[in-house]
Amino acid sequence: MSDDQRSMLISAADEFFSRNVEPVNAMIEKDGISSDLMSKIGSQGFIGLLFPEESGGSNVDAATYLLMLEEFARFSPSIALLIAVQNRIAFPLFSATDEGQDTLKAIALGKKTAGIALQVSSMNRESIGNLKLEKSALTGVKNYILSPSSEFIIALTDEKPSTIIATKTSLSVRKYHALGFRAIGVGSATFDNAEHMILMRENGDQKIQQIFDNLDLDVAAISLGIARGSMQKAMDYSRVRSTFGHLLKDYSPVAFSVSSMLEEVLRLSVDLEHPDNLDPAARKHFKIQSMGLAIQASRQSIQTHGGYGYLQDFGVEKFYRDSTTLLAIFGESYSDKRELADRVYGEKSGFL
Amino acid sequence: MDFDLPEDIAQHRDKVREFALKEFTPEIAREHDMEEKYPDALRKLAFDQGIVDFTNPWKTLVAIEELCRVDPGLGISVTVPYFGAETIMLFGSDLLKEKYLAKVNAGKAMMGLAVTEPGGGSDVAGIKTEAKKVDDRYIINGSKMFITNGSIADFFVMLVRTSKPDNKRHHGLSIFVVDSKSKGFSANKLKGKLGVRATDTAELVLNNVEVPADNMIGEEGKGFYYIMTFFNISRIFVAAQGLGVAQGSLDRTLEILKKRNEWYRGMEEVNFTIADMATRIEASRLLTYKAASFLFQFKPKPELTSMAKAYASESAVFCAEKALELTGLEGITGDLERYFRDAKILEIWEGTSEVEKLVISRFLTKEEKA
């Protein structure tokens, strides 16, 4: 894709999200993303970004995909994360089966979505839940599912070697009152002889780990989108708000922190344009840096807004919640830091 | 130098902790947080059981710390019905003490402090709400923003402009007791706060509200000084809120980590983070208690109070963020996430961290010049 084409696509996303998402952000945080909005996003070709055209996708290159995610996250980190799950998790798994291929078309159109049962290495199995596939009966409970109300939930079964399945029905879904990503939610689901499709029969745990590793740049892109969105709002507010007789932007602590953070976001975003230049260690570091910057920037944005930043109406408190939740989901257990240390040292390190 | 609390204060701390652990159940805390509902029954219970005892400031300080440790939203809610009382205690007439403060002290009324205005924030001297004297009354017009207890308090201590400023912006300000039942007074509860959702916050609108001249606290034109004196007191209690939030974050993190697998609990990076949290809490506590000891002996050191408020608040945010980083999915979906949402306001209310740093630096440069 040429630079001009990419810029046009990002501008289209900016315009679409400004018109269709920003005005309803508070509502979708409370009630979830409506099927109507998902269909609209799908009809723009913004969901199946990495899907091939025969699956209803836009088939954009990796750099364009990441820059689009960053753009989406400036408005709604929840929508950006949901789209990342469809592209990086659902797409490679569903495309491997015939039934899955048909499903991808519905996903690309925004008619259906897939959620994912999160795996955390530091947590015991009973905390994550148990899912058993005996003969063809799928039974059990899965906790910590991202987007639990989705039509499909991708999860690992307990058997060894583990199997990756996509459930189609569940007995019940319970959404937690989670800190962030409230528009898609985190929750648990109970399955009793649930209808499902098998996506991978063996070595499912390794495949899932590999898929999560592939999310590093997506998480970085979403983090940078959050940081940019936060800093943009802080900059806009500091240009119009006066205190002690001067605009906020005229005070050095405000101007210095906003400008340096925004500059850092822009500097890091350059890496999104050349994802192939990053080796696995650089990807890990990029993700860690971006997640930290998103928390720092969103916290600063609230501080710049003062009491107004603490209110939902101003749209910055959501960034603070989402950036911290992103770290809790994708940066937990220091596994990234360990992996980075291993790669940089070239041998096992940082495990004590 | 003895770092132990006097026995009666230590006993009070234990009593408050026992109360909080029994009454601030996770279900009650969640309900009031989600529904943005003020816990009036808990306020009354805390009052009846002597948990909130304003006759001794050390008891107040440790009570705030322990209550916020178990749940910040509920803890702040039950200790805030007296918010602003010190202005009447220190500068108010006997009439005002009897007419208003006595009811608050008896647990029969709630009060609030109305200083901040829309677009005003920390700029107290920029107050626009006006009070004009007409015979033996004042007529007040204007609005106030982010007022704690705004839609539930019986009366407010309110900062207003009674005369145009001369060469100094903070001149010409006065404080009044304003009854919330007054004609022309209205309150709009603010919903959708990030945290401290059990507390009541509102915007107040005053449209030709009449207040008896006797309701003025202290002397006309000295309101700014009275409010600054009050902030030098109240900031120490915000520092105590910060201590509670930080300590509670650490308590709950340790509880969750006990359930984690061995390699995670054993990782030094994890343990170093816990150590950092504990160290900041202890440093905040020492700073807060030191500033409080000067203040409670009527030898206030505003720069120390500001250091305590800013540092304890930032430590609360630091600990709440680290707690979620360490506890991951359990943290963001359990009771710990409330601490994270509640912590951030501490860096904003009662003077932002930036304002505290201004206070500190001004005292330092003043000493230098002297």
Side-chain angles (χ1 to χ4, degrees), chain B residues 176-232:
Chain B
F176 287 89
V177 175
V178 179
D179 202 310
S180 63
K181 309 277 186 311
S182 305
K183 194 179 165 197
F185 181 101
S186 60
N188 308 310
K189 182 171 176 165
L190 297 174
K191 292 199 168 183
K193 287 182 293 186
L194 170 63
V196 291
R197 289 159 62 93
T199 64
D200 181 90
T201 312
E203 178 183 16
L204 311 182
V205 178
L206 298 104
N207 186 12
N208 289 322
V209 172
E210 287 189 16
V211 177
D214 287 344
N215 276 24
M216 183 184 281
I217 298 173
E219 293 176 42
E220 184 174 341
K222 294 204 169 167
F224 181 83
Y225 301 103
Y226 298 153
I227 291 298
M228 288 301 127
T229 304
F230 169 76
F231 281 152
N232 281 329

Side-chain angles (χ1 to χ4, degrees), chain A residues 185-239:
Chain A
V186 181
S188 63
T190 305
F191 307 97
D192 183 14
N193 202 11
E195 201 182 331
H196 62 277
M197 61 174 122
I198 291 174
L199 300 174
M200 178 166 276
R201 277 210 179 273
E202 288 186 357
N203 301 323
D205 43 2
Q206 286 170 28
K207 180 69 179 174
I208 284 282
Q209 185 56 51
Q210 187 194 340
I211 284 173
F212 268 83
D213 284 345
N214 286 340
L215 272 169
D216 283 352
L217 293 180
D218 305 49
V219 173
I222 294 169
S223 298
L224 292 177
I226 292 173
R228 263 181 67 195
S230 303
M231 283 298 96
Q232 190 60 54
K233 281 185 185 286
M235 203 157 81
D236 293 347
Y237 188 74
S238 66
R239 278 190 166 126

Side-chain angles (χ1 to χ4, degrees), chain B residues 17-28:
Chain B
R17 177 143 182 84
E18 199 179 321
F19 171 88
L21 288 171
K22 184 179 169 212
E23 304 297 342
F24 290 6
T25 63
E27 293 74 24
I28 289 178

